[in-house]
DNA sequence: GCCGTTTTCGGCCCGACTGTTTTCAGTCG
C-alpha cells in the first residue's frame, strides 16, 4: 500500500490503542480501527483527497477526515500528540502480547507503573503481579509465555507456508470432515493463522492434534487453539446440521461477519455460528451449508474471496454480484522461465507441462541479459530459442509463446533493443534493480516501459517480496491509468512470494480499464501450480473472466499482442 | 466516532475460553 496511507492508518490505530488504554468508550475505539482499515485498503494516497472525498469512505466522518487532512498538511495529529504525551511511549507495545489487552495495560501502568515489556517481564518473574486484584500465578505464567512467543514471532505466512501447515494437519481428519476457513479460504496474499472447521468429534481429533502441538493455547468443547511449527491453528468443531453458519463465521472476515450480523439484526434475526434465531419467538433455523444461509437471508452466494465488507454485501442483497473468473477460465500461463535463463525446464518440458494442465499456451519469458542478472538471454540466445520453440510447437498440443522478461533499466530504458523485442511474441517488462530510487524515478521508468509499443505486460508491478522486501515507491494509480491508455496489461504475479499486483490494486486496475495478466513466474515444473494463488488474488480483486488476458483463447491472445 | 428507504439520536455482532471471581471481566476468534 502507499507509504503515506500506511502512516495515516498507523496513526489512527495508535489513536485507538491509546484511547482504549485510557478507558474510552468501545464504539469510539472501533471507529478509529475501522477508519484505519479503510485507509489501509485505499488505493489512492490520502494527500490527494480533500475532506469531502475522505468522508465518502466507509467509517470516516467529519472528525477523522479532519484529522487525516491535518496529518497530511502538518505531519501530526494534534489530539493524538496530546494524548500520546500523557502516556509512556512504550506502553502500547504491551498490547502486542497475546492475552494482554487494554484493561490489563491500564492496570499495570496505573497500579504498578509498568510501562514496557521489559518491566512487565521482570515483575512477572519476581511474582509481583499477583498482588494486583484480578492477577494470579497463572496470569504471570501466561504473560511470560506471551513474551516468549513474541520474541519468536515469525510474522504472517505466505500461502505456501500456510499450505505446509495444512498438509501436516490434514492426515488427522477424514477427507470430507474438514474445511480450511479464515483468510486462507478468502484467498488472502498473507495468512496470519490456520482456521479449520471440522465435523469430526472433539475426542477423535484432539489427541492426534496434541501430538504435533508445540503448545495448546486453549481448549474447550467447541474450539481448540494451538501452535505447531511456530504457527497458530484454530479448530472449531461443528455438527453437520449447522456446518453452514459455522463455516460462514470462521471464514470471515471479521468486518464481513459484523455487517452480516447487523443485517440479520435489522430483520429481527440473530446470526451466529450455530444458526439464525428469530428474536421474536426464539425459533432457530439451522443450515448445513453456506448457500442455504445466504438464500435464507435473501442474498446471492458471496464467494469467500469477496467477504471483506467492501461493498459485496449490498450487491448480494440485490443479486447483482459480478461473476468472478474461475480456474477453468484460465487458458494459459503468461510468465514462465526455462533453462535458457535461470529456470530448469527445457522448451519441450514446458510444452508437455502445458499439455498436462490442459493449457492452450504457455509464454516462455526468460530474463534478458543485463548487469546483475544471472543467466540472462541475449539477442542471439533469443533467436536460437525462437527456432527451438518453433520446432517443439510442431509436435505438441500446448503452444509455447516465444516471449521475454526484459529488464527495465535504472534510466527507464529496456535491456534489449526494440528490434529484438519486435521479434518476441510476448514481452514482459519488469523492474529488478534500483528499488531504492524515488517514487518519481521508478514511476517514470515504469511509464516509459508502458509506452514502449513492444511491451505487452508489466511484470510484478510493485516489486514486493512478501516478508522480505516492501514494494518500491511507485505511483500505482498513474501506472494503472497509463496501462489502460496504452492497452498494456498489468501482471498478477502468482508466485506466493510476490502476489503482485495485490487485490486492492487489481480491483482498481480493471475498474479503470486496464487488463490483468496472471503469470506464475515458474522456474521449475512444480511452480506452475501456483496459478491458483494468482486466481485467488484476481477473484479478490473482483475480476471477471473478461478482465484477465489469459482467459482468452490462443487466437484472441495473438490478436491482442498484435 | 460513525451512520441512516424503519432512525439526524441512539444504536453499534456475538460467542468461546481463561482466570479469578463467589458471579464475571477480559481477551480473543
Ligand atoms: N463475528 C465475529 N467473527 C470474528 C471476529 N473475529 C474473528 N472472527 C472470525 C472471522 C475471521 O475470519 C475468523 C478467523 O479469525 P482470524 O483472527 O484467524 O482472522 P483471519 O483468518 O480472517 O485473518 P488472519 O490472516 O488469520 O489474520 O474468525 C469477531 O470479532 N466477530
Ligand atoms: Mg486466521
Ligand atoms: Mg484464527
Ligand atoms: Zn521478474
Amino acid at each position: 500500500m502507499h507509504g503515506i496511507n500506511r502512516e495515516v492508518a498507523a496513526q489512527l490505530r495508535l489513536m485507538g490503542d491509546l484511547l482504549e488504554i485510557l478507558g474510552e468508550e468501545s464504539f469510539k475505539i472501533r471507529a478509529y480501527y475501522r477508519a484505519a482499515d479503510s485507509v489501509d485498503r485505499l488505493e489512492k494516497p490520502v494527500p490527494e483527497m480533500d475532506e469531502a472525498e475522505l468522508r465518502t469512505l466507509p467509517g470516516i466522518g467529519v472528525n477523522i477526515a479532519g484529522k487525516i487532512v491535518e496529518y497530511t498538511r502538518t505531519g501530526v495529529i494534534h489530539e493524538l500528540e496530546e494524548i500520546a504525551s500523557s502516556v509512556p511511549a512504550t506502553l502500547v507495545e504491551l498490547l502486542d502480547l497475546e492475552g494482554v489487552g487494554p484493561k490489563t495495560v491500564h492496570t499495570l501502568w496505573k497500579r504498578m507503573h509498568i510501562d514496557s515489556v521489559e518491566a512487565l517481564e521482570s515483575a512477572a518473574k519476581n511474582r509481583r503481579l499477583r498482588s494486583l486484584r484480578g492477577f494470579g500465578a497463572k496470569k504471570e505464567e501466561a504473560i511470560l509465555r506471551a513474551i516468549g512467543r513474541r520474541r519468536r514471532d515469525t510474522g504472517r505466512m505466505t500461502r505456501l507456508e500456510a499450505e505446509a501447515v495444512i498438509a501436516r494437519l490434514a492426515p488427522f481428519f477424514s477427507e470430507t470432515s474438514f474445511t480450511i476457513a479464515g483468510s486462507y479460504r478468502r484467498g488472502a496474499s498473507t495468512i496470519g493463522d490456520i482456521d479449520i472447521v471440522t465435523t469430526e468429534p472433539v475426542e477423535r481429533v484432539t489427541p492426534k492434534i496434541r501430538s504435533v502441538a508445540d503448545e495448546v493455547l486453549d481448549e474447550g468443547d467447541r474450539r481448540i487453539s494451538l501452535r505447531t511449527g511456530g504457527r497458530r491453528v484454530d479448530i472449531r468443531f461443528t455438527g453437520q446440521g449447522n456446518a453452514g453458519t459455522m463455516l460462514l463465521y470462521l471464514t470471515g472476515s471479521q468486518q464481513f461477519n459484523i455487517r452480516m450480523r447487523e443485517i440479520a439484526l435489522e430483520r429481527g434475526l440473530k446470526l451466529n455460528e450455530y444458526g439464525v434465531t428469530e428474536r421474536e419467538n426464539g425459533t432457530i433455523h439451522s443450515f448445513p451449508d453456506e448457500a442455504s444461509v445466504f438464500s435464507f437471508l435473501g442474498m446471492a452466494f458471496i464467494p469467500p474471496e469477496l467477504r471483506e465488507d467492501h461493498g459485496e454485501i449490498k450487491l448480494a442483497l440485490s443479486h447483482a454480484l459480478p461473476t468472478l473468473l474461475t480456474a477453468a477460465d484460465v487458458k494459459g500461463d503468461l510468465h514462465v522461465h526455462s533453462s535458457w535463463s535461470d529456470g530448469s525446464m527445457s522448451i519441450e518440458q514446458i510444452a508437455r507441462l502445458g499439455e498436462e494442465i490442459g493449457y492452450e499456451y504457455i509464454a516462455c519469458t526468460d530474463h534478458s541479459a543485463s548487469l546483475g542478472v544471472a543467466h540472462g538471454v541475449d539477442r542471439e540466445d533469443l533467436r536460437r530459442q525462437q527456432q527451438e520453440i518453433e520446432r517443439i510447437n510442431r509436435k505438441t498440443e500446448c503452444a509455447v509463446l516465444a516471449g521475454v522478461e526484459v529488464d527495465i533499466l535504472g534510466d527507464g530504458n529496456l535491456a534489449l533493443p526494440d528490434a529484438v523485442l519486435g521479434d518476441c511474441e510476448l514481452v514482459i517488462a519488469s523492474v529488478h534493480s534500483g528499488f531504492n530510487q524515488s517514487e518519481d524515478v521508478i514511476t517514470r521508468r515504469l511509464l516509459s516501459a508502458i509506452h514502449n509499443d513492444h511491451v505487452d505486460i508489466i511484470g510484478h508491478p510493485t516489486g514486493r517480496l512478501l516478508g522480505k522486501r516492501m514494494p518500491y515507491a511507485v505511483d500505482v494509480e498513474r501506472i494503472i491509468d497509463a496501462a489502460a491508455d496504452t492497452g498494456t496489461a498489468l501482471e498478477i504475479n502468482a508466485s506466493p512470494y510476490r502476489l503482485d499486483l495485490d487485490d486492492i490494486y487489481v480491483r482498481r486496475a480493471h475498474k479503470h480499464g486496464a487488463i490483468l495478466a496472471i503469470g506464475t513466474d515458474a522456474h521449475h515444473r512444480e511452480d506452475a501450480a501456483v496459478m491458483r494463488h494468482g486466481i485467488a488474488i484476481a477473484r479478490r480483486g473482483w475480476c471477471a473472466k473478461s478482465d484477465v488476458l489469459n482467459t482468452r483463447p490462443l487466437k484472441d491472445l495473438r490478436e491482442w499482442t498484435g
Side-chain angles (χ1 to χ4, degrees):
Chain A
M1 224 35 44
H2 212 275
I4 183 74
N5 288 9
R6 231 194 318 271
E7 267 176 50
V8 169
Q11 296 277 305
L12 295 175
R13 259 187 212 105
L14 178 58
M15 189 82 177
D17 287 344
L18 291 174
L19 291 174
E20 206 171 14
I21 290 170
L22 292 172
E24 184 60 76
E25 192 225 2
S26 70
F27 296 112
K28 187 164 163 179
I29 312 300
R30 213 179 90 183
Y32 275 102
Y33 292 141
R34 257 201 87 200
D37 282 346
S38 216
V39 171
D40 249 343
R41 67 168 192 252
L42 189 66
E43 350 71 280
K44 194 166 167 179
V46 287
E48 288 173 20
M49 302 170 76
D50 61 15
E51 198 170 316
E53 193 178 357
L54 286 167
R55 286 194 56 191
T56 65
L57 300 173
I60 296 182
V62 70
N63 199 299
I64 292 182
K67 288 186 167 64
I68 294 174
V69 169
E70 183 192 354
Y71 183 79
T72 58
R73 290 230 182 96
T74 68
V76 290
I77 297 170
H78 232 86
E79 200 179 321
L80 175 59
E81 297 299 305
E82 223 158 79
I83 296 169
S85 71
S86 72
V87 172
T90 51
L91 197 64
V92 288
E93 290 169 22
L94 297 182
L95 291 174
D96 293 341
L97 300 170
E98 260 180 306
V100 177
K103 302 282 196 246
T104 303
V105 173
H106 184 91
T107 305
L108 291 170
W109 174 40
K110 289 294 187 189
R111 298 259 166 285
M112 208 161 255
H113 307 294
I114 289 170
D115 60 2
S116 69
V117 176
E118 292 69 37
L120 177 60
E121 183 169 25
S122 107
K125 272 187 180 154
N126 297 326
R127 308 180 166 193
R128 278 168 33 224
L129 298 181
R130 62 187 65 181
S131 68
L132 292 168
R133 188 212 302 278
F135 287 73
K138 288 190 170 167
K139 221 164 230 175
E140 285 175 344
E141 284 161 30
I143 283 172
L144 289 174
R145 280 199 307 275
I147 292 173
R149 274 202 297 276
R150 194 182 83 127
R151 296 225 170 97
R152 290 192 303 275
D153 186 18
T154 41
R156 294 176 65 81
M157 291 174 268
T158 62
R159 294 186 62 81
L160 203 66
E161 291 172 276
E163 286 175 351
V165 178
I166 292 165
R168 267 209 308 282
L169 301 172
F172 302 139
F173 302 88
S174 79
E175 189 120 0
T176 56
S177 72
F178 76 108
T179 309
I180 306 301
S183 50
Y184 181 83
R185 180 164 183 246
R186 298 200 311 280
S189 48
T190 65
I191 310 298
D193 68 356
I194 302 299
D195 302 290
I196 301 175
V197 172
T198 184
T199 52
E200 299 260 3
V202 192
E203 63 276 9
R204 194 141 90 219
V205 175
T206 305
K208 302 185 222 171
I209 288 286
R210 276 181 163 284
S211 70
V212 294
D214 310 334
E215 184 185 358
V216 176
L217 301 169
D218 59 44
E219 183 178 10
D221 301 340
R222 297 169 156 88
R223 185 182 82 195
I224 181 168
S225 301
L226 51 101
R227 267 185 333 109
T228 174
R231 298 303 187 175
R232 182 178 177 123
V233 179
D234 291 321
I235 302 172
R236 284 300 303 256
F237 299 92
T238 181
Q240 282 287 0
N242 38 25
T245 40
M246 182 59 82
L247 184 58
L248 186 70
Y249 153 70
L250 200 64
T251 298
S253 64
Q254 182 195 45
Q255 290 309 317
F256 173 86
N257 285 354
I258 290 174
R259 188 74 200 102
M260 288 289 284
R261 288 166 185 216
E262 279 171 358
I263 285 184
L265 206 56
E266 284 163 14
R267 301 175 182 190
L269 302 170
K270 182 180 71 172
L271 169 63
N272 61 23
E273 62 264 52
Y274 304 111
V276 176
T277 309
E278 299 184 31
R279 287 185 181 268
E280 195 114 298
N281 52 27
T283 309
I284 298 172
H285 302 263
S286 303
F287 305 93
D289 53 47
E290 288 184 334
S292 53
V293 185
F294 285 114
S295 153
F296 183 83
L297 294 172
M299 304 169 76
F301 182 87
I302 303 178
E305 295 91 338
L306 297 188
R307 299 183 194 169
E308 300 288 346
D309 190 22
H310 290 182
E312 74 284 1
I313 293 174
K314 202 171 174 180
L315 290 177
L317 283 166
S318 55
H319 294 267
L321 281 174
T323 303
L324 305 182
L325 96 159
T326 67
D329 295 327
V330 173
K331 303 283 198 300
D333 189 336
L334 292 175
H335 189 158
V336 170
H337 295 274
S338 79
S339 53
W340 289 64
S341 68
D342 57 350
S344 63
M345 287 181 284
S346 68
I347 301 299
E348 176 153 10
Q349 283 171 327
I350 289 175
R352 297 297 178 203
L353 176 61
E355 287 178 341
E356 275 173 44
I357 300 172
Y359 284 156
E360 285 186 32
Y361 49 85
I362 293 183
C364 174
T365 55
D366 280 315
H367 289 288
S368 59
S370 68
L371 223 57
V373 174
H375 313 296
V377 291
D378 61 17
R379 168 194 297 249
E380 182 55 25
D381 296 328
L382 279 170
R383 204 184 52 76
R384 284 175 26 243
Q385 188 186 57
Q386 283 156 11
Q387 289 171 352
E388 168 73 356
I389 286 172
E390 260 179 55
R391 189 179 73 81
I392 299 297
N393 277 346
R394 266 182 244 125
K395 57 179 188 179
T396 57
E397 290 290 313
C398 172
V400 175
L401 304 179
V404 70
E405 180 180 8
V406 63
D407 256 6
I408 302 171
L409 302 175
D411 58 6
N413 285 314
L414 299 179
L416 290 166
D418 284 357
V420 175
L421 299 178
D423 288 337
C424 294
E425 286 183 283
L426 187 93
V427 176
I428 302 176
S430 318
V431 167
H432 292 113
S433 62
F435 302 123
N436 295 322
Q437 290 173 338
S438 70
E439 172 172 325
D440 200 45
V441 172
I442 296 192
T443 302
R444 273 197 313 230
R445 285 167 72 190
L446 283 160
L447 288 175
S448 81
I450 287 171
H451 285 105
N452 182 308
D453 283 344
H454 298 294
V455 171
D456 299 301
I457 299 171
I458 297 298
H460 42 75
T462 74
R464 71 174 182 178
L465 285 180
L466 292 169
K468 294 206 169 70
R469 189 172 75 214
M470 295 295 280
Y472 39 67
V474 56
D475 186 342
V476 181
E477 297 71 43
R478 282 183 70 192
I479 300 302
I480 288 171
D481 289 342
D485 284 348
T486 58
T488 309
L490 296 174
E491 183 176 63
I492 298 174
N493 190 295
S495 162
Y497 303 106
R498 291 189 181 272
L499 297 172
D500 179 12
L501 292 180
D502 204 352
D503 45 21
I504 307 279
Y505 287 127
V506 169
R507 190 171 177 189
R508 180 178 175 108
H510 67 79
K511 203 164 105 195
H512 285 241
I515 191 159
L516 286 310
I518 311 178
T520 61
D521 209 349
H523 285 68
H524 311 285
R525 189 187 153 74
E526 59 274 17
D527 299 338
V530 305
M531 180 59 79
R532 65 182 183 282
H533 305 304
I535 292 166
I537 297 300
R539 289 169 60 84
R540 283 178 67 79
W542 293 59
C543 282
K545 181 180 176 181
S546 59
D547 297 317
V548 174
L549 185 59
N550 42 318
T551 60
R552 302 188 186 182
L554 180 59
K555 188 169 127 314
D556 296 0
L557 177 69
R558 284 221 159 96
E559 256 168 47
W560 182 86
T561 60

